[in-house]
Amino acid sequence: MNRLTPEQRFQIVQFYFENNGSLSVRNTYRALRSFYRRQNRPSEQLIRLTMGRFRTTFTLIDNSHPQRRRTVCTEEAIATVERSIEEDPNESIRHRAQELDQCPSTLWKILRKDLGLRAYKIQLVLELKPNDHQARRRFVEWAQNEIAAVPDFHKRILFSDEAHFWLNGYVNKQSCRIWSEANPQVYVETPLHPETLTVWCALWAGGILLQKR
């Protein structure tokens, strides 16, 4: 059973308090046996979540979300969005929609279809210091001299990189979601200093070099 009606929630609350409060989750689960089939009966976890929600919100009805006001793609709205983009092209659609008092979906249509704009991500590159340009120039001149003296010098160049791997697994909480009527308060314990494995790899004309530590 994935979702309960207000009547079913009321029945759970009623049975819960009839069975002496905090120790009644199991008793409530058993009392519902005669009203539901085995595969359709609310689980103990669902009963516990329902009671936790009732204690915190004092309601058995889902929160109703206000209907979003839809705006029309008029010439005035398009011109307003265009001026807003010229002033600040970095603002998100959600914040821009709030400032312009427009529906986010309408704003998205104006940006993509009417103005022909696309959302681009910034690129992260290594910062160059003032002395880096001269160092690169010296390296290029040195490499040219070596190639002139040794024709197969380019075959002696190594291109290397390294990567770190977590041996105990890595949890990306941004991609982990738990759908529930109430916060299940799920925690994942991670060590303060996790074990890692560093892999170093290099490519050159003679093959591949691999080292682990």
Side-chain angles (χ1 to χ4, degrees):
M1 172 171 274
N2 297 325
R3 195 168 188 83
L4 300 175
T5 64
E7 292 77 12
Q8 291 171 327
R9 293 171 184 167
F10 175 79
Q11 184 184 46
I12 289 177
V13 173
Q14 183 180 13
F15 281 14
Y16 184 89
F17 286 110
E18 286 178 354
N19 286 277
N20 301 323
S22 61
L23 299 178
S24 65
V25 172
R26 176 58 60 87
N27 294 333
T28 301
Y29 176 75
R30 293 172 178 170
L32 295 173
R33 184 180 304 167
S34 58
F35 294 91
Y36 299 91
R37 296 188 301 272
R38 180 182 297 273
Q39 65 272 19
N40 199 37
R41 190 181 1 163
S43 63
E44 293 185 30
Q45 180 183 8
L46 189 55
I47 295 173
R48 189 174 293 105
L49 291 175
T50 300
M51 292 308 305
R53 177 181 181 181
F54 179 73
R55 285 194 177 96
T56 55
T57 62
F58 305 102
T59 182
L60 299 174
I61 303 176
D62 293 328
N63 296 328
S64 58
H65 299 282
Q67 189 70 21
R68 289 183 175 177
R69 183 177 64 85
R70 295 190 174 273
T71 54
V72 183
C73 298
T74 61
E75 294 294 335
E76 181 181 359
I78 296 174
T80 301
V81 173
E82 188 174 14
R83 289 193 300 269
S84 175
I85 292 295
E86 292 176 354
E87 295 174 358
D88 185 6
N90 300 324
E91 195 170 21
S92 66
I93 289 183
R94 181 171 62 88
H95 289 162
R96 196 183 303 275
Q98 292 175 351
E99 291 182 357
L100 302 179
D101 193 22
Q102 291 184 354
C103 176
S105 61
T106 302
L107 177 59
W108 186 88
K109 292 178 182 178
I110 293 176
L111 293 172
R112 290 297 305 271
K113 296 183 178 181
D114 296 298
L115 299 180
L117 303 178
R118 293 179 178 272
Y120 295 95
K121 295 181 179 180
I122 62 173
Q123 298 183 7
L124 300 180
V125 297
L126 294 178
E127 179 185 7
L128 292 179
K129 301 295 184 180
N131 296 331
D132 291 341
H133 297 281
Q134 293 296 330
R136 288 191 170 192
R137 185 179 182 87
R138 287 194 299 269
F139 173 80
V140 171
E141 294 174 350
W142 171 80
Q144 289 178 337
N145 295 332
E146 292 294 329
I147 293 175
V150 184
D152 62 343
F153 174 76
H154 63 282
K155 296 182 179 180
R156 306 180 184 182
I157 300 177
L158 292 175
F159 299 91
S160 64
D161 199 359
E162 65 180 16
H164 306 282
F165 299 90
W166 281 264
L167 299 181
N168 62 325
Y170 176 75
V171 179
N172 183 2
K173 66 177 183 179
Q174 301 300 330
S175 60
C176 295
R177 295 293 182 269
I178 300 176
W179 297 94
S180 176
E181 292 187 344
N183 189 348
Q185 301 293 340
V186 177
Y187 299 94
V188 177
E189 295 184 353
T190 59
L192 181 60
H193 302 290
E195 295 184 46
T196 59
L197 174 66
T198 300
V199 178
W200 178 86
C201 181
L203 303 177
W204 69 304
I208 300 176
L209 300 178
L210 184 64
Q211 181 180 8
K212 297 183 292 183
R213 62 178 184 273

